[in-house]
Amino acid sequence: MGHLNKILRPKTMAAIGGSWAASVVKQCLLAGFDGTIWPINPNRKDILGIPCLPSIRDIPEPPDCTFIGVSREKSIPIIEYLAGVGAGGAVCFASGFTESAAEDKRGQKYQEELVSASGSMPFLGPNCYGMINYLDGIPIWPDVHGGKKHDKGVAIICQSSNIAINITMQSRGLPLGYVITTGNQAKISMAAIAIDLLEDPRVTAIGLYIEGFGDIREFEQLSLKARKKKIPIVVLKVGESEQATLLTYSHTSSIAGSAAGSRAFLKRLGFGQTSTIPEMIEALKVLHLGGPLKGRKVASMSCSGGEACLMADLGNKINLDFVDLNFRQKNALKNALGSRVHLANPLDYHTYLWGNEEELFKVFQGMMLGNQDLLYLVLDFPRTDRCQGLGWDETLNAWLKAKEMTSARTAIVSLLPENMPEDQSEYLLSQDIIPLCGLQEALNATNICADIGEGWKSSDPVQIIKGTNSGTVFTAEDQKIRHILSNRNVPFPRVYYFASKVEIESSIDELDYPVVLKAKGLLHKTEYGGVILNLASGETLLEAANSMDSPNGFIVEEQIFNGVAEVMIGITNDIATGLMLTLGSGGIHTELWQDIQHLLLPATKHEIAATLGMLKIYPLLEGYRGKPGGDVDCLIETIACLTDFAIENHETLVEIEINPFISLEKGGYAVDILARFTNESDKL
């Protein structure tokens, strides 16, 4: 196993403190821990019959793992002693460290002292409950929990101890292998724990509850190792990472916050992403029993037209494909069901076969002849305290027999989560059938597992460009940034710069019309009347200049006509997830339409093209309803030029945006540019 073996799989352990330490001892005894336990409490003779030692120094040998359930001040010398005698590791339960720094300035100092005292010894926390190893029956855990021992299962790692406790109480049938809390991650990061768990062949999948990434390089390492081990990972990321600067100037910044960066980062890693704990649990059940899905083709059957309609409607909202029935399916189903049933996917096979195991077997076997990646049977189980389940056993037996004959990957889904009892879920899992609780959760979980499968098909992710900008932020001068990007083959319209209205007046006969007048140095020009279009003569230009308040001067630009589509191209530099490209509908409606896609850098032209293809405006670029399309190659080249520039300047770039890029039938133009750097930049 990995370097955390003694913490996660100890053979000897110590528990220091009062009631919390006593609870750890109790949980170990209840779990049947067969190793040695040393309770340490000078005020008690024993805990549950196990003699207490008065001091940590009285332990006869260095413990593999120690639960430290005392105050933060007392935890530091205990950690130091354990590290000095060569103990395997520890769980630091105490709070009042960096998580409380906003209220207690000493918190940061205490955590630094704790880490220093630990030397080379690893520990979980501080401010965490510890861990439960259900595979070996070892809970270093100071509270109740709802799990039980398994031969194999999924690992859950949470920054929140309370979230972890609640997950152990789930009754959805998810087999838990490990539940580990990380707290402040002062010494051991979540990614490091996950990397260690990849070495345990009993772990089938990993779920992460993340509040902050920490070192993204560790997550990149985790991604590479998880792919090689074929262990899928699902993530619930909450909150927003702290930005290096306040990005409030560009359209890109207003729609591409750190939450978008997190999503793009997780997609790059090939991790599944969920927004709720129930979805995570359902996805982990799918992954536990067969790993990621190979594709998005699904099929569903039920004895109710209402359930069939619900499945179709809910599935239509996400990226799943209810594939048409093939010839073999239709032929088999027609022979089994006759002419009374409309053959479709989702399929309502009606109730007249209910309780007829042999006929149901024929129907189920026929549906399993399709090329779907997952087949659902919608089936809610009756309450055992009030009902007798007549017909359910026959239905299950028919499904099991059909699955055995076809080896199809199948799931039984309940309409309501509570209508899938835990014992029924566990039985289905034992028969290689995925039990899913709730239609919406089931479909979302399927989509997540298909995302992972799709991610695994791509090449290993390259390292993202890490954001490192710091210092005072300044906006680059329009003329200079245009000059730099023009030399990199970014196409701009002809442009002229004037310091005053007098300069414009002296040059009006030298300009080619029509033109656009812009206020120089004004952000969000359109919102503040800083853009006037279609000026067809010197007279109208001068009139427009007289009406515009622009103390920093004026920009006069060639007017671009016959645009096919307007595209926003923006790059922001997040301190947590690095350079992120944002593509979307451009112009003045960028925030309104929210037609956006994100991609972390570096990115290939193929990835850029694929991301463009996901935009709602992309049909315009292809040519919509007989109209000419845009020059997509020119657009991709422009985006690639901008990303190359951003990568070369990633240490000082804050953000850069072209909005809009007007795509023409042939070529295109970047008609507005904004760039911001830190004061450390020497590029401009």
Side-chain angles (χ1 to χ4, degrees):
M1 299 295 182
H3 74 290
L4 303 181
N5 186 49
K6 289 189 175 182
I7 293 182
L8 303 182
R9 310 163 194 96
K11 296 181 178 179
T12 61
M13 61 158 292
I16 305 172
S19 60
W20 294 109
S23 183
V24 171
V25 174
K26 179 180 179 180
Q27 296 304 326
C28 283
L29 294 177
L30 289 173
F33 176 61
D34 58 3
T36 302
I37 304 174
W38 295 298
I40 300 167
N41 190 317
N43 301 316
R44 297 181 62 164
K45 290 184 178 180
D46 70 89
I47 294 177
L48 299 174
I50 302 176
C52 286
L53 300 175
S55 169
I56 186 72
R57 299 179 184 276
D58 295 312
I59 297 178
E61 62 183 79
D64 289 337
C65 186
T66 301
F67 178 83
I68 305 172
V70 297
S71 69
R72 63 181 180 179
E73 292 85 358
K74 293 180 180 179
S75 297
I76 295 170
I78 291 174
I79 282 276
E80 185 173 26
Y81 176 80
L82 290 170
V85 298
V91 171
C92 186
F93 176 72
S95 60
F97 293 90
T98 55
E99 84 284 353
S100 64
E103 293 77 27
D104 186 352
K105 295 181 179 179
R106 296 174 296 173
Q108 179 69 40
K109 173 178 174 292
Y110 277 122
Q111 184 154 311
E112 291 172 355
E113 291 178 359
L114 188 73
V115 172
S116 177
S118 68
S120 60
M121 184 187 74
F123 66 87
L124 294 175
N127 185 36
C128 81
Y129 262 38
M131 73 91 198
I132 308 170
N133 175 348
Y134 286 113
L135 302 177
D136 299 304
I138 308 172
I140 312 297
W141 191 261
D143 208 339
V144 294
H145 62 90
K148 61 183 181 181
K149 192 171 182 179
H150 291 284
D151 294 329
K152 63 178 181 177
V154 306
I156 305 284
I157 310 174
C158 292
Q159 285 185 249
S160 166
S161 294
N162 203 56
I163 293 289
I165 293 173
N166 294 336
I167 289 175
T168 72
M169 302 297 174
Q170 58 86 26
S171 58
R172 294 172 174 244
L174 177 67
L176 297 172
Y178 292 90
V179 173
I180 303 169
T181 62
T182 64
N184 295 5
Q185 304 181 78
K187 193 65 179 283
I188 308 173
S189 69
M190 176 180 288
I193 295 169
I195 288 171
D196 186 287
L197 293 175
L198 294 176
E199 301 300 322
D200 191 332
R202 301 169 296 176
V203 172
T204 55
I206 296 175
L208 304 177
Y209 175 87
I210 301 176
E211 294 171 6
F213 284 118
D215 186 353
I216 62 172
R217 298 303 181 210
E218 283 191 313
F219 279 95
E220 289 175 331
Q221 182 184 11
L222 170 61
S223 171
L224 292 172
K225 290 192 175 183
R227 289 186 184 212
K228 291 178 182 178
K229 293 283 186 178
K230 301 297 181 184
I231 303 296
I233 296 175
V234 179
V235 174
L236 173 52
K237 171 69 174 66
V238 296
E240 294 186 355
S241 62
E242 184 178 350
Q243 300 290 299
T245 55
L246 294 176
L247 305 179
T248 58
Y249 284 79
S250 69
H251 295 277
T252 305
S253 298
S254 68
I255 61 177
S258 57
S262 296
R263 290 191 294 270
F265 180 49
L266 293 172
K267 183 178 180 180
R268 171 70 66 95
L269 296 177
F271 295 170
Q273 301 175 59
T274 179
S275 56
T276 70
I277 293 295
E279 283 180 8
M280 173 185 278
I281 290 173
E282 300 308 307
L284 287 170
K285 282 192 281 186
V286 177
L287 298 170
H288 169 75
L289 208 60
L293 294 176
K294 295 180 180 179
R296 301 183 183 277
K297 297 178 180 178
V298 296
S300 174
M301 57 195 312
S302 64
C303 64
S304 162
E307 290 169 342
C309 289
L310 272 175
M311 287 293 278
D313 287 348
L314 293 172
N316 189 51
K317 296 176 182 178
I318 54 179
N319 192 23
L320 293 177
D321 180 13
F322 281 86
V323 290
D324 293 336
L325 302 179
N326 63 27
F327 174 79
R328 295 177 66 204
Q329 285 175 302
K330 287 183 177 180
N331 189 51
L333 290 170
K334 186 175 182 180
N335 290 334
L337 293 169
S339 59
R340 287 180 287 177
V341 174
H342 174 63
L343 302 183
N345 180 23
L347 175 69
D348 168 18
Y349 63 87
H350 292 214
T351 56
Y352 64 85
L353 297 180
W354 187 255
N356 189 330
E357 184 175 322
E358 189 57 36
E359 292 303 314
L360 284 173
F361 161 71
K362 295 177 183 178
V363 174
F364 294 159
Q365 184 185 39
M367 196 66 166
M368 291 182 190
L369 296 175
N371 62 344
Q372 62 270 349
D373 299 296
L374 185 62
L375 171 62
Y376 310 105
L377 173 65
V378 182
L379 185 68
D380 285 55
F381 294 91
R383 294 177 59 131
T384 57
D385 59 339
R386 299 177 184 175
C387 307
Q388 290 183 338
L390 301 177
W392 273 265
D393 287 344
E394 290 82 357
T395 302
L396 274 181
N397 291 337
W399 191 263
L400 288 169
K401 183 179 177 182
K403 178 178 172 18
E404 184 179 352
M405 296 290 290
T406 62
S407 299
R409 191 171 186 185
T410 70
I412 291 183
V413 186
S414 63
L415 173 67
L416 298 175
E418 59 268 29
N419 290 351
M420 177 72 74
E422 185 174 24
D423 60 347
Q424 197 64 258
S425 293
E426 292 175 343
Y427 172 71
L428 292 174
L429 280 171
S430 72
Q431 301 300 309
D432 288 336
I433 296 172
I434 307 164
L436 296 175
C437 304
L439 297 192
Q440 187 67 75
E441 290 96 332
L443 291 168
N444 289 348
T446 303
N447 201 40
I448 291 166
C449 296
D451 286 341
I452 298 174
E454 189 176 87
W456 280 14
K457 291 177 184 177
S458 62
S459 58
D460 289 342
V462 297
Q463 283 193 342
I464 66 170
I465 305 298
K466 186 73 169 67
T468 57
N469 56 61
S470 61
T472 303
V473 176
F474 71 92
T475 302
E477 186 180 330
D478 182 280
Q479 188 170 356
K480 290 184 178 179
I481 195 65
R482 284 187 186 231
H483 177 73
I484 292 170
L485 292 176
S486 292
N487 289 336
R488 290 173 169 264
N489 297 321
V490 173
F492 289 97
R494 290 190 303 275
V495 65
Y496 308 89
Y497 296 91
F498 300 99
S500 65
K501 299 170 186 176
V502 173
E503 285 192 8
I504 293 178
E505 185 175 9
S506 65
S507 303
I508 56 175
D509 294 333
E510 302 172 9
L511 301 176
D512 294 322
Y513 297 92
V515 296
V516 178
L517 178 67
K518 298 179 180 180
K520 187 178 180 183
L522 180 63
L523 299 169
H524 305 296
K525 297 179 179 66
T526 303
E527 288 90 327
Y528 297 99
V531 176
I532 301 177
L533 304 172
N534 297 320
L535 300 173
S537 67
E539 182 179 338
T540 56
L541 171 60
L542 190 57
E543 182 180 340
N546 287 327
S547 69
M548 183 180 291
D549 183 17
S550 183
N552 297 315
F554 300 87
I555 301 171
V556 176
E557 189 175 77
E558 173 189 2
Q559 174 78 51
I560 304 300
F561 293 102
N562 301 318
V564 172
E566 294 188 357
V567 181
M568 181 197 70
I569 310 167
I571 299 171
T572 51
N573 198 353
D574 189 301
I575 194 64
T577 53
L579 291 176
M580 181 173 65
L581 171 67
T582 298
L583 301 175
S585 300
I588 63 174
H589 297 127
T590 294
E591 288 93 347
L592 178 62
W593 302 135
Q594 289 291 302
D595 177 22
I596 52 176
Q597 295 293 330
H598 305 289
L599 185 63
L600 289 185
L601 301 183
T604 64
K605 290 182 180 179
H606 175 76
E607 290 171 325
I608 292 171
T611 304
L612 277 174
M614 297 167 67
L615 294 174
K616 296 176 184 177
I617 61 164
Y618 191 72
L620 295 177
L621 293 167
E622 288 185 304
Y624 185 66
R625 291 193 172 184
K627 293 183 179 181
D631 190 337
V632 176
D633 289 340
C634 174
L635 175 57
I636 292 173
E637 283 295 331
T638 300
I639 297 169
C641 288
L642 199 67
T643 60
D644 288 346
F645 173 78
I647 290 170
E648 291 176 20
N649 294 276
H650 73 276
E651 292 187 354
T652 58
L653 178 70
V654 175
E655 60 178 330
I656 189 167
E657 175 185 276
I658 293 172
N659 188 23
F661 180 92
I662 299 179
S663 181
L664 304 177
E665 186 177 355
K666 185 174 182 180
Y669 290 100
V671 299
D672 212 349
I673 181 77
L674 167 72
R676 301 175 73 222
F677 297 84
T678 68
N679 58 6
E680 298 173 2
S681 177
D682 59 358
K683 297 292 183 181
L684 298 174

